[in-house]
Amino acid sequence: QLGDSVSEKDVEGQILVVDFFFTRCPTICPIMTQQLTRVQSAFASEARMHILSHSVTPQADSVSVLRSYAEKFGANSDRWWFLTGEKAHIYHLSRRSYFSCLEEGDGGLQDFVHTENVALVDASGRIRGMYDGTDGEEVDQLIEDVQLLIQDLEENTNP
């Protein structure tokens, strides 16, 4: 949403909360984004955690569209990034890196990812949980699990 390039190195060693959405979605995506505002609020001053929201319609979700969407939900760009890129790469991330979507596809013109799944990735890059981002109780559990991962980081850096 800021027009910056982002790579894995930018979030190396971070706890990540990852989802896939599109700004014109009238159903699950705004619910999921609203739930993620709760995650952002719970960890507002936590520099070791980022939320990564990947647009599954990069042809429509330009940087300016993502910026407007982020502002609409009060996203803090220090901690919550709305990302775009090549569709095939985003879909590969969804299916092969975060396992948010189980359907097969090639990221081509007719392919479409639409999922309520939110992944939790620890600071070592391991997936530690999958949550229904539209379900308040599951997001409560996500918040608890992020807190546990933060405690693990603190215990491992302060012997």
Side-chain angles (χ1 to χ4, degrees), residues 9-142:
K9 289 184 180 188
D10 294 312
V11 293
E12 194 171 66
Q14 300 284 307
I15 297 165
L16 303 177
V17 174
V18 180
D19 74 307
F20 295 84
F21 80 107
F22 64 108
T23 62
R24 294 180 299 159
C25 173
T27 58
I28 65 173
C29 300
I31 297 167
M32 202 165 47
T33 305
Q34 189 62 50
Q35 288 291 333
L36 289 174
T37 64
R38 295 178 47 231
V39 177
Q40 175 184 250
S41 294
F43 302 101
S45 61
E46 181 52 63
R48 297 168 291 187
M49 193 272 300
H50 274 86
I51 301 171
L52 304 180
S53 293
H54 299 79
S55 170
V56 298
T57 57
Q59 69 282 3
D61 289 338
S62 65
V63 171
S64 62
V65 170
L66 291 175
R67 184 181 309 111
S68 294
Y69 192 80
E71 289 171 358
K72 174 181 172 182
F73 286 94
N76 174 353
S77 62
D78 291 336
R79 303 277 173 266
W80 191 353
W81 297 341
F82 288 80
L83 305 170
T84 188
E86 293 181 24
K87 182 180 177 184
H89 181 69
I90 293 166
Y91 281 44
H92 179 82
L93 287 172
S94 174
R95 292 182 170 121
R96 302 285 183 226
S97 295
Y98 299 111
F99 304 104
S100 295
C101 178
L102 300 178
E103 297 94 31
E104 291 296 320
D106 61 2
L109 187 61
Q110 298 302 314
D111 192 9
F112 190 66
V113 167
H114 196 221
T115 180
E116 71 281 357
N117 293 326
V118 175
L120 174 60
V121 180
D122 69 16
S124 297
R126 295 179 301 238
I127 297 172
R128 297 297 289 267
M130 195 66 69
Y131 310 83
D132 179 337
T134 66
D135 183 310
E137 289 180 11
E138 289 206 23
V139 174
D140 289 343
Q141 184 63 57
L142 168 62

